[in-house]
Amino acid sequence: MDVQAAADGGEAAGDETADLTNKSVIKATVLLSELGRHRAGITVTELAQAVGMTRPTAFRLLLSLEQTGFVDRVDNRYTLGWEMARLGRLADPHTGAVARVQPILDDYAARLNETVNLAMVRDALTYDVIAEASGSRHLNVTMYVGETYPIHASATGKLMLAEMGDDEVAQALPKKLEAFTPKTITRRDELIQELHKIRHQGYSVLDNELEEGLFVVAFPVRDVAGALVGTVSVNGPEQRLKSDSLPATIDQLRLAGKDIAKALLGIGSADS
């Protein structure tokens, strides 16, 4: 991060905004963000160098943050403090995201006349379904916001696993995986081959693997750096989705992924 640009309030924000900005607060948040990348702790000298700040400035800010519980210090190494952990438990990581993406989900659910879901990645192997929208069909399959699903038997889970290397997948999953239907992929080596296909085509499919008759297609939602932050999926009965219209559905879902990514970044929607 360019600390000087952040401390100056950013030229794009204008002189008025810069005048209202407290530079010390901004510098303190920069330090906290960097501390979050060093769970084993980091010295003040290393921290100052990492963010491009002078050591005396970093030390002064860390001392203040330590007194309020936002930073802990063991010997000469600093870490995030108990107060950060307490506030983290209170914070909703998806605040504002649902409001931004719900109109997009509603739009694509209407276009596809199916149920469309957004899941957000929590860590390498877990995710949260945070929003959904249903089409006008009488028979729609609902994934239920807040529910959890097995990583190897969900379209989102497969996309997340496809982000990992084969060796990482082998370390994360047992050789024998739980079966939910006769079509569930239960062999780790077979799942890894499926992940190769997903990486090549850019999306995942769940075909009767979690529930019999359930068909799901999921596309990645990526940030500006290309990192996977979430997935958008369409789900419905196999006889409806797994049809001649599937290629068109896949194209629509690809556009939805781009629209949602832009909405989460607050830079408008993609042309569709």
Side-chain angles (χ1 to χ4, degrees):
M1 176 181 289
D2 187 342
V3 177
Q4 187 60 48
D8 290 339
E11 293 181 2
D15 292 340
E16 182 179 353
T17 303
D19 289 342
L20 296 173
T21 301
N22 188 302
K23 296 179 182 179
S24 293
V25 172
I26 291 177
K27 289 180 179 180
T29 61
V30 169
L31 289 178
L32 291 172
S33 295
E34 185 63 27
L35 280 174
R37 300 185 179 96
H38 303 275
R39 301 190 63 175
I42 186 173
T43 68
V44 63
T45 300
E46 294 168 336
L47 185 59
Q49 291 175 346
V51 301
M53 193 179 297
T54 66
R55 187 184 183 283
T57 298
F59 180 78
R60 185 176 66 252
L61 292 170
L62 287 171
L63 181 62
S64 300
L65 291 167
E66 184 181 358
Q67 291 176 353
T68 54
F70 285 90
V71 165
D72 281 338
R73 178 172 55 88
V74 177
D75 296 328
N76 66 336
R77 303 186 73 83
Y78 291 86
T79 62
L80 293 178
W82 59 268
E83 181 65 10
M84 286 293 294
R86 185 185 72 83
L87 292 177
R89 289 193 294 269
L90 297 175
D92 180 354
H94 309 305
T95 297
V98 175
R100 289 187 179 188
V101 304
Q102 192 64 55
I104 299 172
L105 295 180
D106 292 341
D107 180 32
Y108 280 94
R111 295 189 199 187
L112 298 169
N113 211 8
E114 300 289 355
T115 300
V116 178
N117 301 94
L118 174 67
M120 298 296 286
V121 173
R122 190 190 307 169
D123 55 43
L125 295 174
T126 57
Y127 64 91
D128 299 311
V129 181
I130 69 165
E132 68 181 9
S134 296
S136 60
R137 294 183 187 273
H138 292 296
L139 179 59
N140 276 303
V141 179
T142 304
M143 293 292 281
Y144 300 111
V145 171
E147 291 290 333
T148 57
Y149 302 92
I151 194 77
H152 70 286
S154 70
T156 291
K158 288 184 182 182
L159 278 177
M160 293 170 61
L161 290 171
E163 296 290 297
M164 303 165 62
D166 290 354
D167 290 343
E168 293 176 299
V169 174
Q171 290 180 353
L173 300 179
K175 288 184 177 181
K176 184 69 174 178
L177 303 167
E178 184 178 359
F180 298 93
T181 73
K183 292 193 68 175
T184 304
I185 299 175
T186 57
R187 287 172 43 197
R188 187 178 62 195
D189 57 348
E190 184 181 347
L191 178 63
I192 288 175
Q193 291 306 308
E194 171 89 352
L195 300 180
H196 290 177
K197 180 180 178 181
I198 291 170
R199 294 179 193 124
H200 176 72
Q201 66 189 15
Y203 62 91
S204 65
V205 170
L206 190 75
D207 186 0
N208 286 274
E209 298 161 58
L210 180 62
E211 298 176 12
E212 292 192 38
L214 174 64
F215 190 85
V216 184
V217 182
F219 262 86
V221 176
R222 300 187 183 277
D223 63 17
V224 292
L228 184 71
V229 295
T231 69
V232 58
S233 61
V234 59
N235 57 86
E238 174 193 15
Q239 65 269 25
R240 226 165 48 204
L241 280 176
K242 195 177 178 181
S243 65
D244 293 341
S245 63
L246 182 57
T249 298
I250 290 172
D251 287 341
Q252 286 292 305
L253 208 59
R254 181 183 289 109
L255 292 173
K258 293 178 180 179
D259 282 350
I260 290 170
K262 291 193 173 185
L264 291 174
L265 291 171
I267 55 177
S269 61
D271 295 332
S272 53

